[in-house]
Amino acid sequence: ASDEAVTAWEKMRELWAVTNPASTNFSFLQEQLLSGDAWIAFDHTSRLAGAFNERPDDFIAFPAPAGPTGRGFMPVIAGVAIPRTAPDMDAAKALVAYMLKPETQIATLRATNFFPVVDVTLPGDMPPAVKAAGDAVAKMSGSADANPGLLPAGLGDKGGDFNRVFVDSFERIVLAGQDIRMVLDEQKETLRAIMDATGAPCWAPDAPSTGACPVE
């Protein structure tokens, strides 16, 4: 509910004036790029692959734009674990080792546009979507003003409630035209209750917290 947050929502209103009003129902934005319903799209790399692969000469990939606190983007950190109760520990370890092989990671990239989590040398015959997104991701993550933000963690079964705070804020501020400061002050209390109930500590780019992440 900071002054900077008010400015951000003012910018969102400005952008919404030139946004397809049906976009609240869009899912994989590759479909709207191919149909012409969207000319500029922000989405997960895997949800844009179809557009690049079908018409590679018609689209370009670019890094996330920079804002007042840097070039914000969300890397997804995925982990693999084996339960202590696994019936065949050796087979489970073998599966993990197989999944982390460079050739397996490259095959996963070809099929899903999810980039490798280990160091690999990509072959020259990768799909157009991989080449386009790979260059953009490399520029974005390697930029001097890179500002990665992690996925929310520690929310348990309150994850949906957490997301709802931001959806409700968007609907009230952008779609309904309500006063930004009023909405943020109200939603701040809803968000604080969620954080206090879960005890979830802050995640990047916020500084670490002792106990529940404070809502300011």
Side-chain angles (χ1 to χ4, degrees), residues 11 15 42 62-73 139-140 143-147:
K11 176 59 68 173
L15 293 172
F42 294 87
F62 54 88
T69 60
R71 194 173 305 277
F73 59 94
K139 291 177 182 177
M140 182 171 64
S143 63
D145 60 351
N147 185 17

Side-chain angles (χ1 to χ4, degrees), residues 30-206:
Q30 60 193 11
E31 300 167 6
Q32 282 69 41
L33 287 173
L34 290 170
S35 68
D37 289 322
W39 292 359
I40 301 174
F42 294 87
D43 207 343
H44 191 289
T45 54
S46 67
R47 298 186 177 201
L48 299 171
F52 288 109
N53 288 335
E54 286 191 34
R55 287 160 41 194
D57 296 331
D58 291 347
F59 302 106
I60 61 170
F62 54 88
T69 60
R71 194 173 305 277
F73 59 94
M74 184 178 286
V76 177
I77 299 176
V80 179
I82 302 172
R84 293 182 182 276
T85 55
D88 190 335
M89 188 62 69
D90 289 338
K93 290 179 179 179
L95 175 61
V96 172
Y98 170 77
M99 293 300 297
L100 294 178
K101 285 184 176 180
E103 55 267 34
T104 308
Q105 291 283 303
I106 291 172
T108 302
L109 174 59
R110 288 185 187 276
T112 66
N113 227 49
F114 277 72
F115 282 80
V117 298
V118 298
D119 290 333
V120 301
T121 299
L122 297 180
D125 62 343
M126 298 302 290
V130 171
K131 296 178 181 178
D135 289 343
V137 168
K139 291 177 182 177
M140 182 171 64
S141 59
S143 63
D145 60 351
N147 185 17
L150 298 182
L151 286 166
L155 297 173
D157 60 1
K158 297 289 186 182
D161 296 336
F162 177 88
N163 292 341
R164 190 75 242 170
V165 170
F166 297 92
V167 174
D168 287 348
S169 298
F170 172 81
E171 291 178 346
R172 293 178 62 183
I173 292 171
V174 179
L175 301 185
Q178 296 182 19
D179 180 76
I180 297 176
R181 170 56 64 194
M182 177 193 71
V183 172
L184 294 185
D185 285 344
E186 292 180 4
Q187 294 294 88
K188 175 179 68 174
E189 298 307 320
T190 303
L191 184 58
R192 178 180 287 125
I194 294 171
M195 303 309 296
D196 289 345
T198 62
C202 295
W203 52 84
D206 287 341

